[in-house]
Amino acid sequence: MTTITVTFFNGDVKQVMPDQRVIYYYADAQTTHTTYPDGLEVLHFSNGQIEKHYPDGRKEITFPDQTIKNLFMDGREESIFPDGTIVRVQRDGSKTIEFNNGQRELHTSQFKRREYPDGTVKTVYANGHQETKYVCGRVRVKDKDGNIIMDTKL
């Protein structure tokens, strides 16, 4: 089988390849849309962004800065940044951030919590109160203005 090429009056070009891939070039948007026989669709935008639309409904977007964002059918999202930071967003809106230095954050509507590699955990609640739990067992609580209201120095 040979390649079939159709050129449209607006400058768009559609090619059907021997392996059944369909490559459509949108001239105005300078975007290439490739559809594979297995249902995978890949879009290449002029700014360097690449989107992959999988047959199962999942989408993977690679941005020009090489950040990768995965969108799942159930509403979850995952972003992987060039520095190694990973952000995961759940359907309920809660967010987990894994930093490349080993720190981890959890964001919910009730609080934001940061976990440090040494085991220290700092939580900031929606009302502004802060609680820091140290590995040694010490607990320090501050009010919304930063005033210490409890400190169990050991």
Side-chain angles (χ1 to χ4, degrees), residues 123 125 129-134 138-144 146-152:
T123 305
Y125 294 94
H129 276 71
Q130 298 178 27
E131 177 183 276
T132 306
K133 294 181 180 180
Y134 299 90
R138 175 182 175 192
V139 177
R140 185 174 61 200
V141 180
K142 295 181 180 179
D143 65 16
K144 64 179 176 50
N147 302 310
I148 296 173
I149 54 177
M150 185 184 91
D151 195 343
T152 61

Side-chain angles (χ1 to χ4, degrees), residues 37-99:
D38 65 1
L40 172 67
E41 296 183 42
V42 180
L43 293 98
H44 290 263
F45 297 92
S46 60
N47 67 355
Q49 179 173 316
I50 300 169
E51 290 189 14
K52 294 180 182 176
H53 298 205
Y54 293 90
D56 65 5
R58 185 170 52 96
K59 294 180 183 178
E60 177 185 286
I61 304 166
T62 304
F63 295 96
D65 71 356
Q66 297 310 300
T67 296
I68 298 171
K69 183 173 209 162
N70 290 295
L71 304 170
F72 299 96
M73 284 297 293
D74 63 5
R76 292 176 301 120
E77 296 181 11
E78 176 185 74
S79 297
I80 304 167
F81 294 89
D83 70 357
T85 300
I86 300 172
V87 177
R88 291 183 179 93
V89 181
Q90 301 303 319
R91 288 175 23 193
D92 66 3
S94 64
K95 182 187 299 186
T96 304
I97 306 167
E98 296 175 10
F99 297 95

